[in-house]
Amino acid sequence: MHEASLVRSLLRQVGELLVEHGGESIVTIRVEMGPLSGVERPLVEIAFAEQVDSTPCRGAELKVEEVPLSAICRECGNEFDIERFRFVCPACESTRVRVISGEEFRLLDIEIRQPQTESVSREQP
Amino acid sequence: MNAATKTIPVNRDVKAELRRQAEELRQQFARHGTLVINVLSSPGAGKTALLEATAKHWAGQRKMAVLVGDLATDRDAQRLAPHCPVEQLTTGGACHLEIPLVKQGLEKLGSDDFDFLFIENVGNLVCPASHDLAEHLRVVLLSVTEGDDKPGKYPKMFRTSQTMVISKLDLLPHVPFSVDAAIEDARLIQPELTTISVCSLNGDGIADWCDYLDECRQSLLSPLWTTDPHSTAQ
């Protein structure tokens, strides 16, 4: 079960982005995973729930997008979803296929709450 | 009034930074002429036995070292120590190795003057598949006692490997295992998989395995050598 360490890394990266963008807090964290991402959604969600409140991301909601395992055939250019991990093009039966989605655990975007500044009132004398 | 919110697009692999470190290290090894091999399998499939047999076969004619990962104990390191430089990486319960632990192990080895660096991963066919350890070659062992249906059950492990070593070949007469069926199942997942069958205890197939490693070192690294590496081809 390595989801705990991946979620720890995710939260650290989001914490750094929060500082970099001068946000006050994190509202949502949107991630993507697929059948070959090497992570299980329920385990990621449990690890997130256990860890989030002890980080600068406390209070954030995790949104998980599940994508299919998709590939493109290097022979005929056909794009297709891989069923049952059989890496064969259904159009030309070539095994020369390149995976284009579903094998990474990706951080897609974050929604941050920005601090309420007084600049507006200062700019309007 | 609610504070304003803003969406920041990121769109990167959560492991992007670890991958960058791994890539940097991989290139560094390549320039030194060191082929790095990540050896993976379920517990007890014969990773340590394969490395012992490899070291005995080369008998000092190749400079090899091993970083060996385990949750606890240094038993594997003790087995390998008579044959080659070895450092135990104890994960303290973690189910896989990650690049920072490999870097610590390299510091302890105290030398990078090797033709082959083997990283014997924690016995596990799941989590280690997701972690790039700067290897040039990923080798998965499948012992005949595990059953020939395993590749399809652990697709990420077999998909991300370049080589499958079928081990414990001497037990083949005693178990319902078809080498052909295992290879066929694995190649549905990874069509370009190279397969080698060995028995580490009696040495069958070990010469082929070692020749294969020499070929890999030549083909994968020689385009990247910046200076004459400590070549074995005298």
Side-chain angles (χ1 to χ4, degrees):
Chain A
M1 207 285 250
H2 65 154
E3 281 80 356
S5 66
L6 291 174
V7 166
R8 195 173 306 121
S9 171
L10 172 73
L11 290 168
R12 184 179 44 73
Q13 292 175 45
V14 173
E16 286 167 5
L17 287 164
L18 179 67
V19 172
E20 190 183 317
H21 289 274
E24 196 174 73
S25 59
I26 305 285
V27 184
T28 56
I29 300 171
R30 209 161 61 90
V31 297
E32 176 189 284
M33 61 177 72
L36 267 192
S37 297
V39 289
E40 290 301 318
R41 180 175 183 162
L43 298 180
V44 166
E45 289 174 340
I46 289 167
F48 185 86
E50 281 176 351
Q51 294 179 32
V52 66
D53 285 341
S54 57
T55 73
C57 306
R58 76 185 66 83
E61 180 194 358
L62 181 71
K63 289 188 175 172
V64 177
E65 310 239 326
E66 293 189 62
V67 295
L69 187 58
S70 309
I72 187 163
C73 176
R74 293 179 198 265
E75 297 289 346
C76 72
N78 180 34
E79 261 189 55
F80 60 100
D81 288 349
I82 289 168
E83 306 291 344
R84 296 185 298 119
F85 301 109
R86 293 326 191 208
F87 292 77
V88 181
C89 172
C92 73
E93 299 194 346
S94 170
T95 54
R96 294 188 65 243
V97 302
R98 182 169 64 84
V99 173
I100 51 175
S101 85
E103 61 178 358
E104 289 185 332
F105 177 38
R106 295 185 75 79
L107 170 57
L108 295 177
D109 55 48
I110 59 171
E111 187 185 0
I112 62 171
R113 187 175 289 111
Q114 295 178 297
Q116 284 179 311
T117 63
E118 292 167 12
S119 60
V120 175
S121 53
R122 277 205 302 268
E123 282 164 12
Q124 294 174 339
Chain B
M1 194 177 104
N2 287 336
T5 65
K6 183 168 80 168
T7 298
I8 314 281
V10 185
N11 200 23
R12 70 173 177 228
D13 186 356
V14 170
K15 295 196 297 291
E17 171 55 22
L18 287 174
R19 281 178 139 172
R20 190 197 59 74
Q21 290 181 30
E23 188 54 42
E24 195 177 280
L25 201 54
R26 184 165 27 250
Q27 288 181 20
Q28 195 179 313
F29 278 121
R31 286 192 297 272
H32 280 83
T34 305
L35 186 79
V36 181
I37 304 124
N38 190 356
V39 185
L40 305 115
S41 77
S42 58
K47 295 183 295 299
T48 310
L50 177 69
L51 297 181
E52 283 177 299
T54 305
K56 283 180 192 166
H57 178 83
W58 277 333
Q61 292 171 33
R62 304 287 185 279
K63 285 176 267 186
M64 67 174 270
V66 181
L67 297 177
V68 52
D70 269 309
L71 276 70
T73 83
D74 63 350
R75 289 172 190 170
D76 288 351
Q78 285 183 27
R79 279 172 60 187
L80 289 160
H83 309 291
C84 62
V86 56
E87 278 300 330
Q88 182 81 43
L89 310 176
T90 306
T91 64
C95 51
H96 62 283
L97 294 177
E98 290 189 19
I99 202 84
L101 206 53
V102 169
K103 286 183 172 174
Q104 285 176 25
L106 288 170
E107 278 177 28
K108 285 190 202 159
L109 269 179
S111 166
D112 58 0
D113 184 27
F114 302 112
D115 304 317
F116 298 93
L117 174 69
F118 296 90
I119 303 172
E120 181 183 333
N121 219 309
V122 177
N124 177 348
L125 284 176
V126 187
C127 309
S130 296
H131 296 273
D132 184 347
L133 300 183
E135 70 266 24
H136 302 101
L137 191 67
R138 182 173 286 198
V139 177
V140 58
L141 266 76
L142 176 63
S143 62
V144 300
T145 52
E146 290 169 72
D148 51 28
D149 61 342
K150 291 301 171 286
K153 294 173 74 172
Y154 299 94
K156 180 145 188 147
M157 179 58 74
F158 288 84
R159 177 70 188 167
T160 59
S161 294
Q162 289 82 47
T163 314
M164 175 170 74
V165 173
I166 295 178
S167 62
K168 306 190 185 179
L169 213 55
D170 54 330
L171 298 181
L172 203 50
H174 310 289
V175 290
F177 183 99
S178 160
V179 172
D180 289 344
I183 292 174
E184 189 182 340
D185 198 37
R187 286 202 175 136
L188 283 172
I189 297 164
Q190 172 51 283
E192 288 161 19
L193 202 65
T194 297
T195 64
I196 298 171
S197 299
V198 303
C199 171
S200 300
L201 293 187
N202 69 18
D204 282 353
I206 295 300
D208 291 342
W209 157 248
C210 289
D211 288 348
Y212 169 71
L213 292 176
D214 273 338
E215 285 164 21
C216 287
R217 179 168 178 266
Q218 187 67 31
S219 63
L220 295 173
L221 302 194
S222 60
L224 304 165
W225 287 340
T226 49
T227 56
D228 266 350
H230 36 89
S231 173
T232 54
Q234 286 100 352

